[in-house]
Amino acid sequence: GAVVSQHPSRVICKSGTSVKIECRSLDFQATTMFWYRQFPKQSLMLMATSNEGSKATYEQGVEKDKFLINHASLTLSTLTVTSAHPEDSSFYICSAVVGVRLGGTDTQYFGPGTRLTVL
Amino acid sequence: DAKTTQPPSMDCAEGRAANLPCNHSTISGNEYVYWYRQIHSQGPQYIIHGLKNNETNEMASLIITEDRKSSTLILPHATLRDTAVYYCIVRVAGGSSNTGKLIFGQGTTLQVKP
């Protein structure tokens, strides 16, 4: 399968600071990437769709000015949590789309996730 | 996208086959069935997907009923490392101009026991 990496794997920051998380597709190019958030004992919640060279599309209820997404190249998308607060502490996961290759439809591959703790 | 229904939890003995059911009674003709799993504190792992034919790969088999209203993921010889949350998701076919979102439900927590 395709490999997606995230950096950092863990980050602890003070309230009010900004944190940037990188998502990279290592062995393929991804026009589209997705960002998810997962709170303890809950399922993944889609935050936004990131398209290379264009603005991200945010899900309802996700603040676009707080969660800045940049997809500057076909292998890199970044999520910046601005002015982080303790309630933003969560597990952030990205996925990247491998184009139509298997069985007539595309496939999403996920990164290992980034654990954000805001003090 | 259509919603899916999965049992919240299942147990399986190590070495035995694990059969994970999924109901998707409102699935549309152009929607695929995808399976992912998430081991604790990791990102989801792609397992398999299918449209209407049964599919098999090195990880698992996917059996889709003829009416496409339900499916079963089969792990032929479960090991302790297969303990995870398994998600069944249906979404429209993706392509260069239409990449469907994956909307995760609660999934099935599979516990493989020695």
Side-chain angles (χ1 to χ4, degrees):
Chain A
V3 181
V4 178
S5 70
Q6 282 184 242
H7 178 80
S9 58
R10 292 179 177 271
V11 57
I12 301 173
C13 70
K14 293 182 179 179
S15 185
T17 61
S18 295
V19 175
K20 180 185 284 189
I21 301 169
E22 293 184 348
C23 176
R24 294 182 184 274
S25 56
L26 297 185
D27 52 359
F28 64 99
Q29 294 183 328
T31 305
T32 301
M33 293 183 176
F34 295 90
W35 286 96
Y36 297 79
R37 180 168 54 179
Q38 185 174 33
F39 292 108
K41 299 189 184 302
Q42 294 186 22
S43 188
L44 283 78
M45 184 180 69
L46 179 64
M47 299 177 67
T49 304
S50 171
N51 291 302
E52 187 268 337
S54 62
K55 291 183 178 180
T57 303
Y58 292 82
E59 295 299 300
Q60 190 173 9
V62 178
E63 300 175 59
K64 61 180 181 181
D65 294 330
K66 181 168 184 63
F67 299 100
L68 301 179
I69 292 172
N70 184 282
H71 195 153
S73 77
L74 288 173
T75 59
L76 174 64
S77 176
T78 60
L79 169 69
T80 301
V81 183
T82 62
S83 187
H85 291 285
E87 57 266 30
D88 298 322
S89 297
S90 189
F91 192 48
Y92 291 87
I93 310 168
C94 72
S95 70
V97 178
V98 172
V100 179
R101 181 190 299 175
L102 300 173
T105 186
D106 58 16
T107 304
Q108 286 185 41
Y109 291 90
F110 287 80
T114 296
R115 179 79 56 191
L116 170 64
T117 302
V118 184
L119 302 177
Chain B
D1 290 359
K3 292 184 178 179
T4 63
T5 304
Q6 299 178 252
S9 64
M10 292 181 63
D11 289 343
C12 176
E14 187 179 19
R16 304 295 294 269
N19 297 292
L20 293 94
C22 179
N23 286 322
H24 31 80
S25 58
T26 59
I27 192 170
S28 300
N30 64 345
E31 289 181 315
Y32 284 73
V33 179
Y34 286 78
W35 283 85
Y36 285 81
R37 72 181 182 183
Q38 186 178 26
I39 297 170
H40 184 62
S41 296
Q42 298 182 24
Q45 178 187 22
Y46 166 78
I47 301 174
I48 199 167
H49 73 270
L51 182 62
K52 51 186 175 182
N53 297 323
N54 297 336
E55 303 287 345
T56 296
N57 62 21
E58 65 278 4
M59 289 184 67
S61 294
L62 174 60
I63 308 298
I64 302 175
T65 58
E66 193 169 340
D67 63 8
R68 302 187 69 237
K69 293 185 177 182
S70 65
S71 61
T72 301
L73 179 74
I74 301 172
L75 307 178
H77 304 288
T79 70
L80 298 178
R81 288 180 296 178
D82 292 321
T83 293
V85 179
Y86 287 77
Y87 297 99
C88 168
I89 304 167
V90 296
R91 53 151 279 207
V92 295
S96 59
S97 60
N98 173 29
T99 298
K101 305 172 188 177
L102 289 176
I103 305 299
F104 285 78
Q106 296 306 307
T108 295
T109 299
L110 175 68
Q111 182 73 47
V112 180
K113 298 186 174 182

